[in-house]
Amino acid sequence: MKKLSFIHKVLFTINILFIVGLFFAFILPYLPPEKFGLISLLSLIVPILLFGTLIFLIFWLLTRRKKQVYINLFILILSFFFIPSLYKLSGGTEATENELSIMSYNVRKFNMYEWIKSENIPLRIREFMEVQQPDIIAFQEYQQLENFSLNYPYISNPIYKNKLRSSLAIFSKYPIISEGVIRFGRNQPSAIYADIKKGTDTLRIYNFRFNSLGIIPDKDFFGHPNSEKLLKRLRSSFKIQEKQLKALNNDIEQCKYKMILAGDMNNTAYSWMYKHTKNEFNDSFSEAGKGFGKTYSFNGFPLRIDYIFVDKSIKIRTHENFRVQYSDHFPIMTTLSF
């Protein structure tokens, strides 16, 4: 750094922080949040680290600083191999005869508390479903409403405690032959499942929602938590998510059917949670998606925290992200070929 001006030295110091952050991002999927809660927070800002490093690369190119260019270029090349793609250029494949479409959507209690200043949200969601007509729908933050019904012959919304219904529901055009709840503690279940009969095949559909990190850009409603409390809450949420995932994976290990997982992970594709949810499955967006794959509205920042994971023996034909503003999440849908 001897040949750098003072301003360039300051910029290169900041640049190094971005590079170190990216390096830790390489190993994040291997660090369980229960033991490395603070480092796990980096999973939330990996896109910022990537974008910032790219900006620094361009800057050093323009100022003709070869050493700095090589350092940034090297870490970005490594990122290509170690970090899931932030942006997808390709799309899906052509249709086949034997298909199944699955949609996952966190409906945020159908706007019960009027977070969205728009009327008739349940009606709009119903109309949206009638247009898209997925074979299977996995709803998160679902609740039964008198003014919301869909023309699906089979519904799984199991009781998890006394007479209380789960906030997870699965709607299906195909027969549901069995269902179950995957519990975590005394709160709402981490996941439910429905075994669905399609022709000669039986598929297990898991619908999951992991603990929210509580980062909601609504200062009027949620107030201004100080940074120390926010970090403590985030670390606690990561640990809860890890325990929820272990409960889900325990059930997966005992399942004899082909499986599809759909739901709201409340975490990014750069996290330990993503790696250990994906396991032996394919991510529908990674296989057939396009663009940033944004599923959550966070002040315009493209976060992908909702996923559909598919058994590797099933072909993923398409993946689509819908930009309808009926929740703080966006619905996703994949079409599968057998």
Side-chain angles (χ1 to χ4, degrees):
M1 295 177 63
K2 292 182 180 179
K3 297 181 180 180
L4 297 177
S5 67
F6 175 76
I7 296 298
H8 283 180
K9 286 180 180 179
V10 172
L11 290 175
F12 189 49
T13 300
I14 298 172
N15 188 181
I16 291 297
L17 294 177
F18 275 78
I19 290 172
V20 170
L22 271 183
F23 173 78
F24 276 107
F26 298 162
I27 60 175
L28 278 177
Y30 306 95
L31 302 177
E34 190 171 1
K35 296 180 180 179
F36 300 92
L38 191 58
I39 296 177
S40 297
L41 299 179
L42 284 175
S43 65
L44 303 175
I45 60 169
V46 170
I48 296 175
L49 296 174
L50 283 168
F51 183 72
T53 304
L54 179 61
I55 294 297
F56 276 114
L57 172 63
I58 296 171
F59 174 78
W60 297 123
L61 276 171
L62 294 175
T63 55
R64 298 181 180 181
R65 298 290 181 176
K66 291 184 179 180
K67 178 181 177 182
Q68 284 72 24
V69 167
Y70 291 148
I71 292 173
N72 284 276
L73 184 61
F74 177 72
I75 197 73
L76 286 173
I77 291 173
L78 285 180
S79 300
F80 179 80
F81 295 100
F82 287 95
I83 296 178
S85 176
L86 176 63
Y87 187 90
K88 289 279 294 179
L89 294 173
S90 60
T93 59
E94 295 182 358
T96 60
E97 291 184 1
N98 191 18
E99 292 186 343
L100 181 75
S101 57
I102 300 177
M103 177 175 287
S104 179
Y105 193 10
N106 184 324
V107 292
R108 205 186 189 190
K109 299 182 179 180
F110 296 104
N111 201 37
M112 176 193 292
Y113 299 107
E114 299 183 351
W115 291 290
I116 300 173
K117 303 304 179 184
S118 180
E119 295 181 356
N120 298 321
I121 290 295
L123 174 61
R124 295 186 181 194
I125 292 176
R126 186 182 71 187
E127 291 174 345
F128 171 73
M129 294 301 169
E130 289 173 349
V131 171
Q132 299 303 323
Q133 283 293 311
D135 295 319
I136 298 170
I137 307 170
F139 283 124
Q140 301 89 43
E141 293 198 61
Y142 171 85
Q143 64 176 16
Q144 293 180 323
L145 298 177
E146 292 182 0
N147 62 341
F148 181 83
S149 62
L150 296 175
N151 189 25
Y152 281 72
Y154 307 100
I155 303 173
S156 175
N157 180 217
I159 293 173
Y160 76 98
K161 185 170 63 174
N162 298 328
K163 295 183 179 181
L164 296 178
R165 293 283 177 179
S166 165
S167 62
L168 302 166
I170 297 172
F171 286 65
S172 175
K173 294 181 179 179
Y174 298 98
I176 296 176
I177 59 176
S178 63
E179 64 180 17
V181 172
I182 299 172
R183 303 175 185 275
F184 170 76
R186 299 179 180 178
N187 299 321
Q188 282 278 352
S190 308
I192 63 171
Y193 68 81
D195 294 333
I196 293 174
K197 194 75 173 177
K198 184 183 187 301
T200 58
D201 290 314
T202 300
L203 300 171
R204 173 160 291 186
I205 309 297
Y206 286 99
N207 181 11
F208 64 89
R209 180 182 180 270
F210 296 147
N211 190 64
S212 173
L213 299 181
I215 307 176
I216 303 174
D218 188 346
K219 63 183 181 180
D220 295 328
F221 188 83
F222 289 92
H224 294 278
N226 62 50
S227 58
E228 183 179 349
K229 287 184 178 179
L230 178 60
L231 289 175
K232 185 177 180 180
R233 185 174 64 198
L234 286 171
R235 292 180 66 181
S236 175
S237 295
F238 280 130
K239 292 178 181 179
I240 292 173
Q241 286 186 353
E242 182 179 353
K243 293 177 181 178
Q244 290 175 311
L245 176 57
K246 287 181 178 178
L248 174 59
N249 282 338
N250 285 339
D251 195 272
I252 288 173
E253 290 175 2
Q254 301 173 34
C255 181
K256 60 183 179 180
Y257 303 125
K258 295 178 182 178
M259 292 168 279
I260 299 166
L261 284 64
D264 173 12
M265 187 188 296
N266 271 311
N267 215 321
T268 70
Y270 316 107
S271 63
W272 183 93
M273 289 293 296
Y274 174 85
K275 175 179 172 57
H276 289 82
T277 306
K278 188 171 181 289
N279 280 328
E280 299 301 319
F281 301 94
N282 285 327
D283 179 346
S284 62
F285 172 79
S286 297
E287 295 294 315
K290 192 173 182 180
F292 287 107
K294 177 182 177 181
T295 70
Y296 182 72
S297 180
F298 192 80
N299 286 355
F301 191 75
L303 286 179
R304 186 166 77 96
I305 61 174
D306 300 83
Y307 306 87
I308 299 176
F309 299 108
V310 181
D311 193 294
K312 288 188 176 180
S313 64
I314 302 173
K315 174 70 175 178
I316 298 171
R317 190 177 69 78
T318 67
H319 174 98
E320 187 171 0
N321 291 66
F322 299 91
R323 299 301 299 272
V324 291
Q325 301 281 349
Y326 307 145
S327 170
D328 56 344
H329 289 251
F330 300 111
I332 58 175
M333 184 167 72
T334 186
T335 305
L336 310 175
S337 296
F338 291 83

